[in-house]
Amino acid sequence: MLKKIPKILSPDLVQALMKMGHGDEIVLADANFPGHSLHDNVIRYDGFGIPPLLDAILELLPLDPYAEHQAALMSVVPGDPVVPTVWDTYRDIVAKHDDTAKLAFEERFAFYERAKNAYLVVMTGEEALYGNIILKKGVIKT
């Protein structure tokens, strides 16, 4: 055990966060996301929802202030009546850690393409529809 590292973060995830560089992206994927078919670098977090994991990751991960948007959500498919209330939770968590961060919305297949280029996909047990979020890593300012 180490001090100040949130207990929800596994050694594998902390190692992956450490290996990420400026501009690299991490996908926190809901339980329906096709993570393994899109990416080879996948860490499983079955049984965990995204909100506590997002909060813990943002304790360690700086967001990229130079990017137009520091995080991205998957847009609702046109015609789908779902209203993703989890987005409000994500906005609150991101704002808690970076009150200047902006969130973008990506069309479903554009989100998948972006996920293919991410450093890592974290597959969670999140059951909220459209519960996926991509974070862009920034730099530590001294």
Side-chain angles (χ1 to χ4, degrees):
M1 295 294 293
L2 298 173
K3 293 180 180 181
K4 299 186 181 181
I5 294 178
K7 291 179 183 177
I8 192 174
L9 299 180
S10 70
D12 290 338
L13 184 51
V14 172
Q15 180 183 34
L17 294 173
M18 290 290 295
K19 288 181 176 181
M20 290 174 66
H22 180 216
D24 281 344
E25 294 184 329
I26 180 173
V27 180
L28 302 182
D30 66 30
N32 294 304
F33 193 79
H36 288 280
S37 65
L38 294 176
H39 213 286
D40 291 331
N41 194 12
V42 176
I43 293 177
R44 301 293 307 198
Y45 257 83
D46 302 293
F48 290 91
I50 289 176
L53 190 57
L54 175 62
D55 190 39
I57 287 170
L58 290 176
E59 286 288 330
L60 305 179
L61 184 86
L63 295 175
D64 189 351
Y66 305 114
E68 186 175 344
H69 298 96
Q70 291 67 43
L73 302 168
M74 181 186 288
S75 296
V76 174
V77 173
D80 191 340
V82 173
V83 178
T85 57
V86 74
W87 291 351
D88 292 331
T89 303
Y90 293 172
R91 280 188 194 98
D92 291 344
I93 293 168
V94 170
K96 170 184 159 187
H97 294 278
D98 184 341
D99 61 358
T100 64
K102 297 178 189 143
L103 280 70
F105 290 89
E106 298 271 350
E107 181 273 334
R108 178 181 166 206
F109 292 104
F111 192 99
Y112 290 160
E113 286 303 312
R114 189 168 173 179
K116 287 179 185 178
N117 294 311
Y119 180 81
L120 171 69
V121 173
V122 179
M123 292 296 303
T124 72
E126 180 61 56
E127 294 181 4
L129 297 177
Y130 301 99
N132 309 295
I133 184 169
I134 296 174
L135 304 172
K136 184 176 282 290
K137 186 176 184 182
V139 297
I140 302 291
K141 295 183 181 180
T142 56

